[in-house]
Amino acid sequence: DDINNVIEILVVVVFLYIITFASIYLFTLADKITSLYKEVSEMEKQKQLKDGLFKLTHEIKNPIAVCKGYLDMLDVNNKDKLQRYIPIISSEIDRSLNIMKDFMDYSKIKVEMEVIDMTLLLEDIYESFKILFTRNNIVLNYDNNYDDILIKGDYNRLKQVFINILKNSMESIVNDGIISIRTINVDKYVEIEIEDNGMGMTKEELGMIKAMFYTTKKNGTGLGMFMSYSTIKGHFNGDITFETEVNKGTTFNVILPLQ
């Protein structure tokens, strides 16, 4: 009996030792995991900051380019040009300020929803681009037979999306450019088609077009289409589809749910 009691005591002591050692080890491991998590979190913050700087740099170039284009054509002695160009320049400056404001919350794309008319938005974009396209010998066609296309969305965000697409189309054109904007369907969803006769894309390029930082441009950041796609997805899971053929052109189809 004495031997059995000693064995039982030894078993309890060993068991308590193991429990104590395991507890100490787990606490130490937990501290290491917590420290590692903090390091990873800090690295993620740095990555987000870097990504944000890329986004800011890329997105701010578009409105600045539009402003520069109109300022180059501005003639202070021509009242007609002043009346037409100054509101566009003012609008693009506002868009630049909105982009910089967004940089303060770069971790995600904010979409502020309100009821908007897509017809007004498309007409706004057409008026903003038609003179610049003419200057670059590109024909810009606009076809929309609908008076009111009401959706719930973010006017400025959607304008950025279409500007990114039109800019990509313009940059893909070598000569005798034609870009067409048309509404092809309004039934539960509105579908806006933008077609160009540019260089088109290979299957490999098409497969990567929505990826962050992927670009075929020498000075591109690869964020324009990524941010555009993220914005459209943020509009009640909208979508952007693509059809393309090398040396023939590309068709972008932006799909948004109706109000």
Side-chain angles (χ1 to χ4, degrees), residues 40-41 65 85 110 112 127 137 154 159 182 198 207 218 228:
V40 170
S41 296
Y85 294 172
K110 282 188 173 181
E112 297 181 2
E127 290 296 326
N137 299 316
D154 189 314
K159 185 176 180 180
R182 49 184 172 278
K218 183 178 179 181
S228 295

Side-chain angles (χ1 to χ4, degrees), residues 122 143-144 146 149 181-186 190-192:
L122 293 174
D143 182 16
N144 175 31
Y146 301 92
I149 306 174
I181 306 172
R182 49 184 172 278
T183 306
I184 61 174
N185 182 45
V186 177
V190 56
E191 297 182 43
I192 308 300

Side-chain angles (χ1 to χ4, degrees), residues 116-131:
I116 63 173
D117 186 349
M118 281 299 299
T119 294
L120 293 178
L121 174 59
L122 293 174
E123 289 175 354
D124 182 6
I125 293 166
Y126 174 70
E127 290 296 326
S128 296
F129 269 86
K130 66 179 182 180
I131 298 176

Side-chain angles (χ1 to χ4, degrees), residues 60-75 81 84-86 88-89 92-93 128-136 170:
I60 209 71
K61 286 193 298 184
N62 290 338
I64 289 176
V66 172
C67 288
K68 185 179 185 304
Y70 280 103
L71 285 172
D72 287 343
M73 295 185 293
L74 199 62
D75 182 356
K81 284 188 176 182
R84 283 189 295 150
Y85 294 172
I86 288 179
I88 295 173
I89 294 170
E92 292 304 312
I93 290 173
S128 296
F129 269 86
K130 66 179 182 180
I131 298 176
L132 289 178
F133 275 35
T134 300
R135 190 183 180 202
N136 285 278
M170 184 174 67

Side-chain angles (χ1 to χ4, degrees), residues 97-128:
L97 293 173
N98 286 334
I99 292 171
M100 288 188 284
K101 177 178 176 292
D102 290 342
F103 180 65
M104 303 305 293
D105 189 14
Y106 53 80
S107 62
K108 60 182 179 180
I109 296 175
K110 282 188 173 181
V111 178
E112 297 181 2
M113 297 294 187
E114 60 180 353
V115 177
I116 63 173
D117 186 349
M118 281 299 299
T119 294
L120 293 178
L121 174 59
L122 293 174
E123 289 175 354
D124 182 6
I125 293 166
Y126 174 70
E127 290 296 326
S128 296

